[in-house]
Amino acid sequence: MARRRRRKFKWNKIFSRSGRQRLTKWLMVAVVLVLVGYGAHEIDMIYKQRIIVEKQNNYKSMFIKQIAPEAQKMDQEHHVLASVTIAQAILESDWGGSTLASKYHNLFGVKSTSTTNSKLMSTREYVDGKWVVITGRFQVYSSWADSIDAHAALLDSGTTYQGVIQSTNYTEAAKALQSEGYATDPSYASKLIDIIETYHLDKYDQ
């Protein structure tokens, strides 16, 4: 009985064009199998994170669009730049999500000395070089529009915030708010400027 001859493996077939194509196809299949077997959870997390970010971005856009018209109106009436008003509202109210803003329509953390139409709430302030929690009495408004109107009127009353009113750009106005004592946060001006530039709020200035 004749012995069958063993075929020699020809390596040149792997390195031929068709061989490289088959090898690439199998490598792609292997990658997919690895992703399905070991990366499904990670892929799901990335997808969910993307959805959350998109929702957050949509909410932020809606918040800006909602308060921008009133901010522009106050720019015309009280000469408080709309970009600064919007940035303050974002920073002070955490995009309208704080209890003070969502429940009592106070976007700017405006305090009150009256026991009527106000609420006692805890807040953080920068005192003697450190952050401390204090209890303060804050003004209650009927709407965000009323809060914006009252905020602009406050800045335009007296001489305390004249640097803000006389500013011709958002950088000057933000620095004036800090130097004239609007907030205790030593980084208040830089935070406002960063928000304005990140979300291009200066387009709302007249």
Side-chain angles (χ1 to χ4, degrees):
M1 185 175 180
R3 297 179 61 184
R4 296 178 62 184
R5 297 180 60 186
R6 296 179 60 186
R7 291 185 178 182
K8 292 185 179 180
F9 184 79
K10 296 182 178 181
W11 288 95
N12 62 331
K13 288 186 177 180
I14 293 179
F15 298 104
S16 66
R17 184 174 180 179
S18 59
R20 290 197 302 271
Q21 289 175 342
R22 285 194 296 271
L23 181 61
T24 301
K25 186 182 294 184
W26 280 109
L27 285 173
M28 290 177 66
V29 171
V31 169
V32 170
L33 289 174
V34 169
L35 289 175
V36 171
Y38 299 97
H41 177 68
E42 287 77 7
I43 293 173
D44 183 60
M45 288 294 293
I46 292 171
Y47 173 75
K48 289 179 178 178
Q49 289 171 6
R50 183 176 297 176
I51 295 298
I52 291 171
V53 170
E54 288 177 356
K55 287 183 177 179
Q56 289 175 338
N57 289 338
N58 289 338
Y59 177 78
K60 289 178 179 179
S61 178
M62 288 173 60
F63 179 76
I64 292 172
K65 289 179 180 179
Q66 183 173 351
I67 68 173
E70 195 66 26
Q72 289 178 307
K73 180 181 175 183
M74 291 302 101
D75 189 349
Q76 295 174 351
E77 293 183 11
H78 294 285
H79 308 292
V80 181
L81 291 174
S83 61
V84 175
T85 297
I86 299 170
Q88 279 193 280
I90 291 170
L91 180 60
E92 298 279 359
S93 74
D94 190 21
W95 296 92
S98 68
T99 301
L100 187 61
S102 61
K103 192 172 181 179
Y104 303 113
H105 306 108
N106 188 332
L107 288 172
F108 304 95
V110 174
K111 293 180 180 178
S112 174
T113 56
S114 173
T115 56
T116 60
N117 205 33
S118 63
K119 290 290 181 180
L120 281 173
M121 299 186 69
S122 296
T123 185
R124 293 173 70 247
E125 291 194 355
Y126 196 80
V127 180
D128 297 329
K130 61 181 180 180
W131 287 100
V132 296
V133 177
I134 66 169
T135 299
R137 185 171 291 279
F138 294 87
Q139 185 69 37
V140 174
Y141 297 101
S142 59
S143 67
W144 284 353
D146 286 345
S147 178
I148 294 171
D149 295 353
H151 170 261
L154 171 67
L155 295 180
D156 196 22
S157 63
T159 58
T160 305
Y161 301 108
Q162 283 305 296
V164 179
I165 302 301
Q166 295 171 2
S167 296
T168 57
N169 60 71
Y170 64 83
T171 303
E172 290 179 359
K175 291 179 179 179
L177 276 168
Q178 184 167 332
S179 64
E180 292 173 349
Y182 184 89
T184 59
D185 185 351
S187 302
Y188 194 74
S190 61
K191 289 177 180 178
L192 291 179
I193 294 170
D194 182 60
I195 291 171
I196 292 169
E197 293 179 347
T198 298
Y199 298 98
H200 309 290
L201 302 180
D202 55 315
K203 67 182 178 182
Y204 296 103
D205 293 336
Q206 301 298 321

